[in-house]
Amino acid sequence: MGAAEAQDVRVIAPGIVAPPPVASEALERVGPREPLSDLVAGAGMQSEKPDRLFKPVALAAGRMSVAGREIALASIEIIDAERVCDAGHGGTWPCGRHARTAFRLWLRGRALACHPADEEAGKGNAEMDVARCTVGGEDAAAWLVARGWALAAPGGPYEELEEEARAARRGIFGGGP
């Protein structure tokens, strides 16, 4: 390009870019095309995005309050905060409070990613939703059961984790602080 050709270009409005006017009658909405393969749809994976719940507060080990909603984790038996367990050396200890505190410390106000539980895992009611939740990619119910702070629901996916926690005497199975 020579100097003469560069002078032929004239800038009229450098900050304005606008599409040409189109009459709305000329536009037609069409449906989306079919996926190119099954991989696009995520075959075998959950297609729904989880609900993001911010600043959860642990009410018990496995039950949280988030923005006025109460959520219980699916496939576990929640240890109530007022539960008392037998101590290994005799007497009792407030295992429910210890379980709730451990869960609170683990949550630390991080966001929960929750999917509503299926019908087999448990049913919600007007006051409480039952869900499968993760925190930082880790299954919250599995975390509680593996550390002995919740019990696996009979026939649920966490029974082996409960057996390991019992054998290792973790959490409520440990006989006290």
Side-chain angles (χ1 to χ4, degrees):
M1 242 186 185
E5 291 178 28
Q7 292 176 352
D8 291 343
V9 177
R10 183 173 71 129
V11 178
I12 297 175
I16 299 175
V17 176
V22 177
S24 62
E25 300 84 36
L27 299 177
E28 178 185 351
R29 182 173 299 275
V30 295
R33 67 169 170 74
E34 293 296 318
L36 298 176
S37 73
D38 290 339
L39 296 175
V40 174
M45 298 172 61
Q46 287 182 330
S47 60
E48 295 181 19
K49 284 188 172 183
D51 289 341
R52 292 277 182 209
L53 306 172
F54 299 97
K55 297 183 181 178
V57 176
L59 304 174
R63 190 171 61 240
M64 293 104 15
S65 173
V66 181
R69 282 173 62 188
E70 197 167 320
I71 298 171
L73 295 176
S75 300
I76 64 170
E77 293 180 15
I78 296 169
I79 303 296
D80 187 51
E82 300 303 316
R83 182 172 173 169
V84 178
C85 298
D86 293 330
H89 51 72
T92 59
W93 64 288
C95 60
R97 290 183 188 164
H98 283 265
R100 178 184 61 193
T101 300
F103 191 45
R104 278 184 179 169
L105 292 174
W106 183 68
L107 284 175
R108 291 190 313 266
R110 296 184 291 172
L112 290 167
C114 297
H115 288 280
D118 53 343
E119 292 299 318
E120 299 149 12
K123 296 183 179 176
N125 56 35
E127 298 87 33
M128 189 178 332
D129 295 326
V130 177
R132 297 188 180 287
C133 299
T134 60
V135 177
E138 188 172 358
D139 184 348
W143 186 90
L144 284 166
V145 174
R147 282 149 186 84
W149 296 125
L151 302 172
Y158 307 119
E159 288 181 322
E160 286 183 25
L161 292 174
E162 181 181 337
E163 289 173 17
E164 291 172 14
R166 282 181 189 273
R169 300 185 49 82
R170 292 186 203 124
I172 63 169
F173 310 115

